């Protein structure tokens, strides 16, 4: 059976955006919350995140409620990530993109951090958002409908001396 449609707080209209939603960073926290809400509204889901364990757990939960779910473990800091995600989405109509990735747990003075850390943060929070929005946005334009949600962080408004690349990327 399909999960009950809940329209109390945040109605996402399946016929306006659906049938498929792609949630980048969709395995835990806010991303998982989006997934549960959209599944309840009848969306089919593609969830991508770095950690396979939480992806599999959430997918099992949503499937048990009747949702159709595809998952992909992908590292958003890698240059081929959009191509990898396209392998599981090019055969379906993604009508809603939620780009919810970008947490950072590495702190330090900018000049002391390894270049790989700052490059990864920029790749995920700037290039990833831009590339995913461009690709899926173009497909939505062709369909004549769709939506994109890019989540951010208050860090993008405040800055932090030990999170320079992260806060600057979130400001993007």
């Amino acid at each position: 059976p399909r999960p009950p449609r809940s329209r109390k707080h945040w109605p996402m209209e399946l016929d306006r955006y659906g049938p498929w939603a792609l949630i980048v960073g969709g395995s835990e926290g806010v991303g998982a919350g989006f997934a549960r809400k959209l599944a309840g509204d009848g969306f089919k889901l593609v969830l991508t995140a770095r950690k396979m364990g939480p992806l599999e757990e959430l997918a099992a939960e949503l499937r048990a409620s009747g949702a159709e779910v595809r998952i992909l473990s992908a590292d958003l800091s890698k240059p081929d990530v959009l191509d990898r995600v396209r392998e599981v989405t090019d055969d379906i109509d993604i009508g809603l993109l939620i780009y919810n990735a970008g947490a950072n747990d590495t702190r330090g003075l900018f000049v002391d951090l390894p270049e790989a850390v700052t490059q990864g943060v920029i790749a995920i929070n700037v290039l990833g958002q831009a590339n995913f929005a461009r690709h899926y946005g173009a497909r939505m334009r062709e369909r004549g409908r769709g939506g994109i949600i890019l989540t951010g962080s208050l860090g993008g408004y405040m800055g932090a001396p030990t999170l320079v690349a992260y806060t600057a990327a979130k400001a993007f």
Side-chain angles (χ1 to χ4, degrees):
R2 177 184 283 192
R5 299 186 99 181
S6 87
R7 301 257 182 219
K8 275 203 269 190
H9 303 290
W10 178 56
M12 291 306 296
E13 299 170 23
L14 181 64
D15 50 344
R16 182 175 181 181
Y17 300 106
W20 286 89
L22 167 60
I23 305 175
V24 179
S27 63
E28 300 176 282
V30 173
F34 274 120
R36 289 182 182 105
K37 173 64 179 153
L38 292 171
D41 284 344
F43 282 80
K44 300 173 186 180
L45 301 171
V46 178
L47 307 176
T48 183
R50 200 170 19 102
K51 296 183 250 174
M52 184 55 96
L55 274 172
E56 290 173 331
E57 290 173 23
L58 181 59
E61 172 193 327
L62 297 173
R63 288 176 182 138
S65 303
E68 186 173 340
V69 182
R70 295 179 181 186
I71 60 172
L72 175 70
S73 173
D75 183 343
L76 293 168
S77 69
K78 303 298 183 199
D80 69 338
V81 68
L82 178 58
D83 292 334
R84 292 204 52 236
V85 174
R86 288 187 59 193
E87 289 174 10
V88 297
T89 62
D90 273 358
D91 66 325
I92 55 178
D93 286 328
I94 298 294
L96 181 62
L97 165 65
I98 299 174
Y99 195 97
N100 180 60
N104 180 28
D105 60 1
T106 305
R107 296 177 184 273
L109 295 177
F110 180 77
V111 296
D112 295 335
L113 289 173
E115 183 179 356
V117 170
T118 56
Q119 295 295 320
V121 167
I122 293 166
I124 293 166
N125 290 289
V126 177
L127 298 175
Q129 277 197 14
N131 292 338
F132 275 72
R134 180 183 306 108
H135 172 72
Y136 292 100
R139 293 185 71 184
M140 292 171 196
R141 181 184 62 199
E142 289 171 13
R143 290 174 62 215
R145 64 189 175 105
I148 298 174
I149 298 172
L150 306 174
T151 63
S153 169
L154 289 177
Y157 295 100
M158 300 173 4
T162 60
L163 290 169
V164 172
Y166 173 80
T167 59
K170 286 300 186 179
F172 172 82

